[in-house]
Amino acid sequence: MPTIAFVNGRFLPINRATVSIEDRGFQFGDGVYEVVRSYNGRLFHLDAHLDRLEQSARGIRLPIRYSHAYWRRLVTRAFAMSGFADAKVYLQVTRGPAPREHRFPNTVRPTVVVTVRRLDPLSASVREQGVTAITVPDLRWGRCDVKSLNLLANVLAREEARAAGVFEAILVRDGVVTEGAISNCFAVIGGTVVTSPTDPSILPGITRAVTLELIRCEGFPLEQRVVTVEEYRRADEIFLTGTTIEIVSVVSLDGAKVGTGSPGPVAQTLYRRLGDVIDAECPRAVVPLKSRNAGRRRRT
Ligand code: PMP
């Protein structure tokens, strides 16, 4: 089966899937999206992602005619058709095609796209060593809580990270760390886990929400507050969270060692606990026959 796409009610091979050049997603980035992943043939936290998609759509006043239940069936079907055990499902809704004009069209016909691709997880060695990051100015708009298609500032930040030979760009606004270009950020300072408050300067990450819960369960002191980049530079640990990267330690920031220069104990504990949550929701037993990259690596 070639990689499949769903476009406005039809499933077809991705190379035959097209939308209009007048689509407002293409013209203005006028739309929202989600990325959901699976483990062992099951979608992880699908409802949380669908809730956030609906919230993002409300944030840009985009009426979505699909109910939550319809999305659930659609995504589950697309995922099943792909045959991948470990997949990345991309959902996108735009304000649809209309002659180019900034104001909303009178009649909105949203464009809905779903694609399913095989997920290449972070390699075990990268995870064991930790990743590197640089800080870059946060040039994004004021509604980063909306998962909108306007990703140009994130794209430029990621490219800067690549040019610097590091994994992630950590975004800084007025001396304060907001989040990563593709991740949420946490630091451990004197035994307390600190991270940005849930406000419009960050995306309310699904992995972040799970991680916050795990921090509470583990009894680690937690502060959700403004955290300066200078605090991050002095932190004992820094870690990132995200759907595709899970929880990963940052061991170098702007070329300087973070803590001991190795993944720290808090991030390692949380990563193991996240593994328990994943194993409970996506048990290993349901790997489909056609799986190409079946099975999670074992967590220790
Ligand atoms: N912040 C940004 C800017 C992101 O792009 C992502 C990845 N979607 C995240 C945070 C992490 O969110 P989640 O855990 O829902 O993947």
Side-chain angles (χ1 to χ4, degrees):
M1 162 79 68
T3 302
I4 45 141
F6 169 93
V7 184
N8 291 334
R10 287 176 63 210
F11 283 99
L12 64 180
I14 200 159
N15 56 358
R16 295 205 359 246
T18 55
V19 296
S20 164
I21 61 159
E22 293 210 294
D23 195 278
R24 291 178 64 94
F26 177 61
Q27 296 280 351
F28 298 110
D30 186 358
V32 294
Y33 75 104
E34 267 305 318
V35 178
V36 188
R37 76 173 282 177
S38 69
Y39 296 93
N40 301 322
R42 284 194 195 233
L43 293 160
F44 181 68
H45 270 42
L46 173 59
D47 287 318
H49 283 278
L50 294 179
D51 286 345
R52 187 172 63 183
L53 182 70
E54 287 155 4
Q55 209 172 308
S56 294
R58 275 195 297 276
I60 64 163
R61 288 184 281 147
L62 170 59
I64 300 189
R65 60 183 192 281
Y66 292 2
S67 68
H68 192 101
Y70 183 87
W71 273 115
R72 194 164 224 297
R73 281 198 301 277
L74 170 62
V75 173
T76 305
R77 178 155 175 234
F79 171 55
M81 283 171 75
S82 80
F84 298 131
D86 295 342
K88 198 162 62 168
V89 184
Y90 178 77
L91 324 179
Q92 177 178 303
V93 189
T94 76
R95 211 177 305 273
R100 191 176 185 284
E101 150 72 67
H102 287 65
R103 291 171 296 190
F104 295 174
N106 290 334
T107 312
V108 175
R109 288 175 293 127
T111 299
V112 177
V113 167
V114 178
T115 59
V116 186
R117 290 200 147 87
R118 191 162 66 89
L119 179 100
D120 292 317
L122 277 190
S123 75
S125 65
V126 167
R127 188 174 291 292
E128 273 154 30
Q129 282 164 22
V131 298
T132 53
I134 53 169
T135 55
V136 305
D138 188 346
L139 303 177
R140 300 171 306 159
W141 71 326
R143 289 299 309 274
C144 299
D145 55 321
V146 170
K147 203 163 167 59
S148 96
L149 298 179
N150 283 277
L151 289 172
L152 191 51
N154 307 59
V155 165
L156 294 173
R158 286 291 284 172
E159 189 52 32
E160 238 181 282
R162 186 172 66 157
V166 302
F167 178 76
E168 177 62 311
I170 291 183
L171 308 176
V172 178
R173 186 177 293 158
D174 300 329
V176 168
V177 168
T178 50
E179 59 182 333
I182 59 150
S183 60
N184 290 115
C185 294
F186 292 73
V188 182
I189 302 173
T192 298
V193 185
V194 293
T195 193
S196 317
T198 311
D199 67 21
S201 69
I202 66 160
L203 182 77
I206 305 300
T207 323
R208 173 181 180 271
V210 176
T211 304
L212 288 171
E213 199 51 46
L214 293 172
I215 291 167
R216 291 187 191 104
C217 288
E218 288 297 309
F220 293 132
L222 169 68
E223 289 175 9
Q224 282 184 257
R225 61 166 173 84
V226 161
V227 190
T228 66
V229 66
E230 292 316 320
E231 288 182 279
Y232 266 80
R233 293 196 197 291
R234 294 194 303 269
D236 305 310
E237 290 185 43
I238 297 175
F239 57 92
L240 310 173
T241 64
T243 294
T244 54
I245 61 172
E246 303 172 320
I247 296 174
V248 68
S249 293
V250 175
V251 294
S252 154
L253 183 64
D254 291 332
K257 224 192 249 186
V258 176
T260 62
S262 299
V266 173
Q268 285 178 315
T269 302
L270 293 171
Y271 175 66
R272 280 196 298 272
R273 294 289 82 81
L274 175 64
D276 297 338
V277 173
I278 292 165
D279 289 344
E281 186 176 329
C282 308
R284 219 172 272 269
V286 288
V287 177
L289 290 175
K290 280 171 63 185
S291 143
R292 294 198 203 161
N293 62 342
R296 282 181 68 72
R297 66 255 170 268
R298 186 166 296 284
R299 289 162 190 268
T300 50

